[in-house]
Amino acid sequence: MVQIPKTPDPASSSAPRSVPTSADVARLAGVSRATVSYVLNNTSAVRISEPTRRRVHEAARELGYVPHAAARSLRAGHSRLVLMPAPSFPAGPLYSRFLTELQWALGRLDYTVVQHGTVGLRGDEAARAWAEMRPVAVLVPGFDLGPQGVEVLKRSGARAVVTLGPEAVDGAHALLMDHEAVGHSAARHLYERGRRRIGVLIPAEEGLEVFSAPRLDGARRAVEGTDATVTRVPLAYEERDAARLAARWKSLGLDAVFAYNDEYAMLLMRALQDEGLAIPGDTAVIGADDLMLGRLLRPRLSTVHLELPSGRDLAALVDRAVRDPDAAPERHKVLGAAVVHRESS
Amino acid sequence: MVQIPKTPDPASSSAPRSVPTSADVARLAGVSRATVSYVLNNTSAVRISEPTRRRVHEAARELGYVPHAAARSLRAGHSRLVLMPAPSFPAGPLYSRFLTELQWALGRLDYTVVQHGTVGLRGDEAARAWAEMRPVAVLVPGFDLGPQGVEVLKRSGARAVVTLGPEAVDGAHALLMDHEAVGHSAARHLYERGRRRIGVLIPAEEGLEVFSAPRLDGARRAVEGTDATVTRVPLAYEERDAARLAARWKSLGLDAVFAYNDEYAMLLMRALQDEGLAIPGDTAVIGADDLMLGRLLRPRLSTVHLELPSGRDLAALVDRAVRDPDAAPERHKVLGAAVVHRESS
């Protein structure tokens, strides 16, 4: 980083200021601390006149006071904090959109959503780090959380734990992302297009096994009992590795490949084309995620369109679970998988 | 969502369990509450024997007790919480990598990083929502935070506010992302390749103006006093809009375009090629971000390579600022912009 010469900052030379409290606000507004709390936390249970509300808000603004979420949650015995571990894989456009919609929906239900960056922690160890924040609910996407981790979270006061992954975890609500169905749809499509030697691309990058393993299983299941074969094909997301794979492609004897997702499909397709292979003539290619870039490729990329759960439905499930923490865990299947057939297969 | 028939959950029918406290751990381990606190918060100031440490950890594990971050921060007067608003734009691969590195580096300094999803809130209103979490530091990337917002955060106890954006904000440390330099480099490159009628693509999507406006300014500055012109070209990230733009491309009379970034460049390049235009013959194209996909296009995409601040440097700045909250705000220029010339320009 380039250090730029500093200009003196007038604010920094003043005496340290103390943090204003709700008592300061009450004093300035001429009301009780309870009234301050009712007004600023938007409690609807208590009737407070409009002029009083305005006086409290003005005093709070003048003093620069904002309520303390942690103190409030300590008093209430639970927070409105919904915690999600930040994904350890680079979030694609599909997941980003889902996340924004979910945060919006939970915000409308008066929850605060934070993503916790648990870099380097795994499974139940990560769960302990999350528990320190005392969330009222935890949403865990594609993570290796076990029943013990769920227990730790519940003992620390979480009323709802919801997992998004291929399998349910004891004690937690589950949105079952059926990645087997993704691989199944892709391989079945290739089989129906007359292909019999099907490769399934497995990203070499860490953190993606939870998705790639069930996709491979699904592809195997799709051709079970037929004369078709499924071959595991590892690939790192790098041009060099793709070129190496393309150079020995003919020796693999594959006539089709399910390329994990659209981005890996783009990488592989380019390498195969550079090697002089015709797509789909020599090898049919299908991706997944239905990203814009697939439509921009030539030939246009066939893909598996995924339907993530709606943010609104998931927010409603969280709210239901928080209100009734003793209800039996819900199980929902949420990943729609539909083949979009274009030109590459 | 498809509801799956529930299996009864043995845990849910048991009596509600109370949340274990540090007093419970102290009782089980036969030590004082202070000792529990020292051991579980990893305090190095106090010497505690290894067998005692082990006993406390075992008791905590048995009871499912984890320390309460909020209670600890209330006692300590400040937290170790570093808050970042979750970006309102879809985070690309470049930003995701930066974020992971930053979280890792702050984690090593014993900070907890959370991303706060402030969907629908803007500027100082958002700052109030962040302040409720009582973070010890706030990192604000490309957001419309003003001096009042900084003041709200500081009054609520934040020791450091660091902005990442084109301009510094009073009272906050600033990592100055020089997006003008990105546009300047791109336009200068096109000018040096002999182009005189330069288009600058402006995404129609919300939330990207903070990047696109200074890039356009930089491009204008690059050709000031020459015979070249710069034309603002709006485009939404959709095939239809790109096709419409390509259809009237000749009437614009442009011989080059800086396409905002590599993804918009891919969209525009495809539309121009489908319209029968030669690249770079008829129109030179340059993107920005230096993504993998640019290397996979034909012709290979020229781009502006950006150098985001290192996560380690930024973590060190945060730590320095937290330790000395009254130091004058630091200003660092952090966005390196270097043209990578490939085949499209």
Side-chain angles (χ1 to χ4, degrees), chain B residues 34-308:
Chain B
T35 301
V36 170
S37 166
Y38 292 143
V39 171
L40 294 183
N41 294 324
N42 257 321
T43 312
S44 54
V46 184
R47 273 190 100 98
I48 292 168
S49 75
E50 213 26 69
T52 305
R53 278 185 192 280
R54 210 176 309 126
R55 223 157 61 231
V56 170
H57 281 297
E58 273 163 16
R61 202 168 305 125
E62 187 168 325
L63 293 168
Y65 172 79
V66 285
H68 192 322
R72 192 163 58 201
S73 73
L74 282 179
R75 275 198 307 275
H78 66 88
S79 67
R80 298 292 289 178
L81 192 72
V82 176
L83 186 142
M84 300 184 70
S88 56
F89 48 89
L94 198 66
Y95 188 75
S96 296
R97 216 164 34 233
F98 158 68
L99 214 59
T100 302
E101 192 195 327
L102 174 65
Q103 289 175 340
W104 177 265
L106 281 168
R108 288 186 59 116
L109 293 169
D110 204 26
Y111 292 95
T112 298
V113 185
V114 302
Q115 289 185 66
H116 190 295
T118 331
V119 184
L121 295 181
R122 307 205 55 172
D124 299 339
E125 200 188 345
R128 260 185 295 279
W130 306 334
E132 291 203 9
M133 304 276 302
R134 292 294 189 275
V136 72
V138 183
L139 280 174
V140 190
F143 208 85
D144 57 347
L145 181 76
Q148 280 214 318
V150 174
E151 186 63 23
V152 164
L153 289 166
K154 290 198 159 175
R155 295 304 297 263
S156 77
R159 292 172 166 224
V161 179
V162 182
T163 63
L164 292 88
E167 280 171 36
V169 180
D170 275 357
H173 302 275
L175 297 190
L176 294 162
M177 314 280 269
D178 192 357
H179 286 279
E180 270 204 42
V182 179
H184 192 278
S185 305
R188 187 168 190 86
H189 167 77
L190 294 171
Y191 182 85
E192 282 167 358
R193 304 289 305 161
R195 308 291 165 147
R196 291 296 176 267
R197 304 264 299 149
I198 299 170
V200 173
L201 206 151
I202 305 290
E205 282 69 26
E206 247 181 274
L208 299 176
E209 311 82 27
V210 282
F211 309 115
S212 63
R215 288 181 186 195
L216 176 61
D217 290 345
R220 291 211 162 109
R221 208 161 39 77
V223 301
E224 231 168 45
T226 73
D227 57 337
T229 59
V230 162
T231 306
R232 197 177 171 282
V233 183
L235 175 67
Y237 194 62
E238 297 167 6
E239 268 184 294
R240 268 226 320 239
D241 202 41
R244 258 197 305 258
L245 176 59
R248 61 187 186 86
W249 191 258
K250 281 182 183 159
S251 73
L252 295 176
L254 302 174
D255 59 13
V257 62
F258 167 44
Y260 179 68
N261 72 12
D262 291 351
E263 288 169 298
Y264 283 85
M266 179 180 184
L267 173 64
L268 179 63
M269 213 162 108
R270 169 56 59 208
L272 294 178
Q273 287 173 326
D274 284 355
E275 197 62 35
L277 284 136
I279 291 167
D282 295 321
T283 302
V285 179
I286 183 168
D289 285 359
D290 195 7
L291 298 186
M292 165 81 90
L293 64 82
R295 274 172 282 158
L296 301 179
L297 298 181
R298 297 296 179 267
R300 289 176 178 82
L301 182 66
S302 295
T303 190
V304 182
H305 178 87
L306 308 188
E307 201 68 67
L308 282 179

Side-chain angles (χ1 to χ4, degrees), chain A residues 2-311:
Chain A
V2 182
Q3 170 77 50
I4 295 172
K6 296 165 188 171
T7 47
D9 177 38
S12 69
S13 57
S14 65
R17 297 151 302 182
S18 63
V19 175
T21 66
S22 67
D24 299 328
V25 178
R27 212 170 300 125
L28 185 61
V31 299
S32 71
R33 273 189 70 179
T35 302
V36 170
S37 166
Y38 292 144
V39 171
L40 295 183
N41 295 323
N42 255 324
T43 313
S44 55
V46 183
R47 272 190 102 99
I48 292 167
S49 76
E50 213 27 68
T52 303
R53 276 186 193 282
R54 209 175 310 127
R55 224 159 58 231
V56 170
H57 281 296
E58 273 162 17
R61 201 168 309 127
E62 187 168 327
L63 293 169
Y65 172 79
V66 286
H68 192 323
R72 193 162 59 203
S73 74
L74 284 178
R75 277 198 305 275
H78 66 90
S79 67
R80 298 293 287 177
L81 193 71
V82 177
L83 187 143
M84 300 182 70
S88 56
F89 48 90
L94 200 67
Y95 189 74
S96 296
R97 216 163 34 232
F98 158 68
L99 215 58
T100 302
E101 192 193 327
L102 174 64
Q103 289 175 339
W104 177 264
L106 281 167
R108 287 184 60 115
L109 293 169
D110 204 26
Y111 292 96
T112 298
V113 185
V114 300
Q115 288 186 65
H116 190 295
T118 331
V119 185
L121 295 181
R122 306 204 58 169
D124 298 340
E125 199 187 347
R128 258 185 296 278
W130 307 333
E132 291 205 8
M133 304 275 303
R134 292 296 190 274
V136 72
V138 182
L139 280 176
V140 190
F143 208 86
D144 57 346
L145 182 76
Q148 279 214 319
V150 173
E151 186 64 20
V152 164
L153 288 167
K154 290 197 160 178
R155 296 303 295 263
S156 76
R159 293 173 165 222
V161 179
V162 182
T163 62
L164 291 88
E167 280 172 35
V169 181
D170 274 356
H173 302 276
L175 297 190
L176 295 162
M177 315 280 270
D178 191 357
H179 286 278
E180 270 204 41
V182 179
H184 192 278
S185 304
R188 186 166 192 88
H189 167 76
L190 294 172
Y191 182 84
E192 283 168 356
R193 305 287 307 162
R195 310 291 165 146
R196 291 296 176 267
R197 303 265 299 151
I198 299 170
V200 172
L201 205 150
I202 305 289
E205 282 70 26
E206 246 182 273
L208 298 176
E209 312 82 29
V210 281
F211 310 114
S212 64
R215 287 181 187 195
L216 176 62
D217 289 346
R220 289 209 164 111
R221 206 161 39 76
V223 300
E224 231 168 46
T226 73
D227 56 340
T229 60
V230 162
T231 306
R232 198 180 170 281
V233 183
L235 175 67
Y237 195 61
E238 296 168 6
E239 267 184 295
R240 265 218 332 232
D241 203 42
R244 256 195 308 258
L245 176 59
R248 63 187 186 87
W249 191 258
K250 280 180 184 161
S251 73
L252 295 176
L254 301 175
D255 60 12
V257 61
F258 167 43
Y260 179 66
N261 71 13
D262 291 351
E263 288 167 300
Y264 283 85
M266 180 181 184
L267 173 65
L268 178 63
M269 214 161 108
R270 168 57 58 206
L272 295 178
Q273 286 173 327
D274 285 354
E275 197 61 37
L277 285 136
I279 293 166
D282 295 322
T283 302
V285 179
I286 184 168
D289 283 359
D290 194 6
L291 298 186
M292 165 80 88
L293 65 81
R295 274 171 283 155
L296 301 179
L297 299 180
R298 297 297 178 265
R300 290 175 178 82
L301 182 66
S302 295
T303 189
V304 182
H305 178 86
L306 310 186
E307 201 69 67
L308 282 179
S310 109

